[in-house]
Each structure stands twice: as C-alpha cells, then as structure tokens.
Amino acid sequence: MPKTVTLYHNNRCSKSRAALSLLNVRGIDADVVNYLDTPPSFEELQSIFAKLGADSPRSMMRVKDALYRELELDNPTLSSNDLLKAIAAHPALLERPIVVAGSKAAVGRPLENIEALL
C-alpha cells in the first residue's frame, strides 16, 4: 500500500463521496484535494495522466459535460497537452473521483477501479 494516497474530490458528487467513504472504511488517510477550489496545475495533470496509463486525457475528462462540447474538445486533432491545458483552465472538466496512489492512478467510475488500485 502506497504511503500517500491523493483523492481528487468534489463533495457534491455522490461517486466522489463514495470514494472518500471507501478510503475511510479501509483506514486509508488520504490527502483530499477539492479540485474545484484548488485546481491541479498543468504539470500535476500531466503526472495524473501518466499514472492512469491511459491512451488519452479524455479518459480523465467529463466528456458528456456541456462545457466539453462548448469548448469543442471532441476535436480529434487536439493533442494530449491541449486537452490537459483545457482541464487546467476549466477544472470542472476533470472526471471525479480520481485516486492517485504511488505510481498509479484510477478514475473511480466505477468504484471497483479504486478497489483494484488499493
């Protein structure tokens, strides 16, 4: 079990609250980042993306959100850095919850992704 676990959290989101509860039940003291109040920097987003091991930052974005469509982020010519910069500028685009544990990360949709990470 990694020493430091970080939860990118939105308290208004039931999945995010469920992830926090899961960590608490497991006795894991997480650093909770309310990412709408304290948005991750572009560099932090790059690190999270790398730890997710995903093909595209879209895996950590709220792709069904109206803002995603308004900003035309579905454009296939956008680079990973373009997408990460969009999240940095508009943290509401970040999917939630995301747990980072050591060198790995998981989007908690479904929560089983977090279970597998732990």
Side-chain angles (χ1 to χ4, degrees):
M1 180 69 217
K3 291 184 183 197
T4 305
V5 173
T6 302
L7 171 66
Y8 290 88
H9 179 63
N10 178 345
N11 198 47
R12 289 175 293 188
C13 170
S14 62
K15 290 279 190 211
S16 198
R17 290 191 309 269
L20 182 58
S21 177
L22 169 70
L23 295 173
N24 287 336
V25 165
R26 289 282 200 92
I28 297 169
D29 187 26
D31 292 328
V32 178
V33 176
N34 291 304
Y35 67 88
L36 293 175
D37 299 330
T38 311
S41 68
F42 172 72
E43 291 77 16
E44 288 171 299
L45 291 167
Q46 284 180 310
S47 175
I48 295 166
F49 173 54
K51 291 175 181 183
L52 284 171
D55 293 336
S56 167
R58 289 183 177 93
S59 65
M60 59 191 271
M61 295 178 81
R62 299 179 54 79
V63 296
K64 295 178 182 170
D65 197 272
L67 181 59
Y68 180 86
R69 289 188 302 278
E70 286 169 24
L71 295 174
E72 299 179 359
L73 296 173
D74 56 347
N75 181 337
T77 64
L78 293 174
S79 70
S80 291
N81 281 346
D82 292 334
L83 295 170
L84 293 171
K85 286 176 185 172
I87 300 170
H90 305 279
L93 289 168
L94 187 64
E95 185 59 274
R96 59 192 183 249
I98 294 178
V99 171
V100 177
S103 63
K104 301 260 185 215
V107 176
R109 290 179 178 265
L111 281 178
E112 287 79 12
N113 293 347
I114 294 173
E115 287 274 9
L117 182 68
L118 301 175

